[in-house]
Amino acid sequence: MTKTPAEIELMAEAGRLLASVFTHLDGLTLAGLSTLQIDALVETFIIDQLQARPASKGQYGYGFVLNSSRNQVVCHGVPSADEILRDGDIVNLDITLEKHGFIADSSKTYLIGEVARPARRLVQTTYEALWKGIRAVRPGATLGDIGHAIERHATRNGYSIVRDFCGHGIGREMHEAPQVLHFGKPGTGMKLREGMVFTIEPMLNQGRRTVATLDDGWTVVTTDGKLSAQFEHTVAVTRDGVRVLTLRPDEARLAA
């Protein structure tokens, strides 16, 4: 479950490239685009501009470069020409990228146009919860410490944590050990050690934490129809803390 310093540097390069995909998306007007159009834009950018491979396409039979999870969709939303992003929507774009044989994984929830305050608050709290989890990472800490930090922030703000999906180890394969739960008790679970690389990707719901998978076999939605938001980063455990491998330039102050 641990990577060598040289492997982590290769993963950091994949992470830097993936961060640039989100920077590219930040500069676009997403309102009015279909999620399938966004998928095509991201695929072209990864292949033509970054000379990298979209790691999700073809994995487990999935036919697209990204997951687009809008409003009540929790995760694994499938891009569609019929799904047009409209003013007031929130949408999580979950993207992976492979370079030099190593994979990076990250996601961001975008606010489309003028978004109502309750939805904005959910998105902001989810982002904060991600960083609460990241700041719990250090050698000797436990996976339970990460989950507890995320869960405490979510519940204090009135949100539920989805328990059906979790973060995961990552490297040459998309999904490696360990599983990284977004809830837990301090001091429990596997101890972290230098060289471990995994994702942290909390999903917070406005209402109940229960979810259901639609008939397409991919799309996961809240059972009560309320909104869900998610953010994700790939992180490495360092000698004295944590390194966010998919850190975007606008987040530099958070990692300081």
Side-chain angles (χ1 to χ4, degrees), residues 25 94 136 179 226:
L25 287 169
D94 190 344
Q179 290 189 334
K226 293 186 178 180

Side-chain angles (χ1 to χ4, degrees), residues 62 66-70 73-79 83 218-220:
Y62 189 70
L66 54 78
N67 291 124
S68 52
S69 303
R70 183 173 64 100
V73 178
V74 176
C75 62
H76 301 164
V78 179
E83 184 177 50
W218 291 103
T219 307
V220 177

